[in-house]
Amino acid sequence: MYFRRGFFIIVLLTVFKSSLIAGYLYKDEIIFNSLFKSDIEKLGSELYQKTGVSLRLIMLKKLPDNTNIVAYEKELIKDFNEPTILLTFSEIDLKVDILANDTSLYTLFDKKQVLSPVASPIQAFIMALFYSEGWSSFKEIATNSNGTIIPLLAQKAKDDELLGKYSGAMFNGYADIAEQIAKSKNVVLENAVGNANQNSIFFVKILFYGFILYGIFLYIRRKLYIKRQNLE
């Protein structure tokens, strides 16, 4: 009788502890949206079941005082024993980072690409032309593109659109990491966003190229105007 009770309590505690740890939207101090949480949980749960990798999203309002984002992640990741990757965003600090508790996990996805502030190779090339200070600097900037988080976070938004921007950008990055891990493990995720993930970045690229073309148009028009003035 007592053995059965004790066994039952142990099972309950194990299940309860597992349910606490299972949240792939591990912290959310910003969004508080049931659909956003559901999408993260479904994708994170499927990724873990098929690859054994736990990808957890941390949405902070602000980092603790005198703590940088990497130090915060290093302290938090001590709570997890299984292969774990943290994707962390702090709104007020305007910081995003990714940390894994095993260096081998970085071979499953491209951290530099996910966190790139540049949306496309052409944009990266143009930035390299303007901001590089040498050949090595040029190569570094020109090859750092296809970011799936920061280009979206950098877009202007009204106050009532900020939560949509944050949730869209972070889910975009979360899905990108999950899909890269799945591809590395040769598995298919049924909850992957696929083309929808790329469409949001495509929109950012269209805006960027639109500004570039508009700038070229203004430059040519100015040159033609000056030429006409000189002829007169």
Side-chain angles (χ1 to χ4, degrees):
M1 180 72 174
Y2 291 110
F3 174 77
R4 289 182 180 178
R5 284 183 179 178
F7 179 75
F8 182 67
I9 291 172
I10 290 172
V11 170
L12 279 179
L13 289 174
T14 302
V15 171
F16 179 67
K17 183 178 180 182
S18 297
S19 67
L20 286 177
I21 295 176
Y24 297 100
L25 179 55
Y26 191 70
K27 286 182 182 289
D28 180 14
E29 302 174 355
I30 304 172
I31 306 300
F32 305 113
N33 181 286
S34 58
L35 181 59
F36 176 68
K37 181 177 181 179
S38 175
D39 286 343
I40 293 292
E41 294 299 334
K42 284 191 293 186
L43 183 54
S45 178
E46 184 185 5
L47 179 71
Y48 182 70
Q49 290 171 13
K50 293 183 174 180
T51 68
V53 177
S54 177
L55 176 60
R56 301 185 186 274
L57 178 59
I58 317 296
M59 302 285 288
L60 301 177
K61 190 70 178 177
K62 185 181 184 300
L63 288 164
D65 291 340
N66 303 316
T67 303
N68 63 51
I69 194 167
V70 176
Y72 175 85
E73 289 175 309
K74 285 182 177 179
E75 190 62 31
L76 183 62
I77 211 165
K78 293 177 182 177
D79 294 338
F80 307 105
N81 295 319
E82 74 272 18
T84 299
I85 298 169
L86 299 182
L87 171 59
T88 307
F89 169 63
S90 176
E91 178 186 12
I92 293 177
D93 301 283
L94 293 176
K95 296 291 184 181
V96 182
D97 191 51
I98 304 169
L99 182 73
N101 63 355
D102 188 324
T103 55
S104 66
L105 294 173
Y106 292 113
T107 64
L108 303 178
F109 70 101
D110 190 340
K111 176 180 176 179
K112 180 181 176 183
Q113 171 259 304
V114 175
L115 294 180
S116 172
V118 181
S120 74
I122 295 177
Q123 183 182 357
F125 180 79
I126 293 172
M127 290 182 65
L129 289 176
F130 283 96
Y131 299 109
S132 60
E133 298 177 350
W135 176 241
S136 60
S137 175
F138 179 87
K139 288 194 297 182
E140 175 69 21
I141 298 173
T143 57
N144 185 15
S145 63
N146 294 320
T148 48
I149 299 176
I150 297 176
L152 296 178
L153 288 176
Q155 296 301 302
K156 292 183 179 180
K158 298 177 182 178
D159 290 344
D160 59 351
E161 298 173 343
L162 284 175
L163 293 186
K165 182 176 77 168
Y166 296 151
S167 59
M170 297 313 297
F171 183 74
N172 205 45
Y174 186 93
D176 187 16
I177 297 169
E179 290 171 24
Q180 288 189 41
I181 294 170
K183 185 177 181 180
S184 296
K185 293 282 189 176
N186 295 313
V187 300
V188 176
L189 299 176
E190 294 178 5
N191 291 295
V193 295
N195 290 333
N197 185 47
Q198 296 303 318
N199 288 341
S200 56
I201 295 299
F202 178 74
F203 177 70
V204 174
K205 293 177 182 179
I206 290 296
L207 286 177
F208 174 78
Y209 297 141
F211 284 124
I212 292 294
L213 291 174
Y214 183 65
I216 294 173
F217 168 75
L218 291 179
Y219 175 79
I220 294 174
R221 191 174 71 170
R222 177 65 178 169
K223 285 292 185 180
L224 291 174
Y225 174 78
I226 294 173
K227 187 176 181 179
R228 283 198 302 268
Q229 289 293 100
N230 291 336
L231 290 175
E232 294 175 0

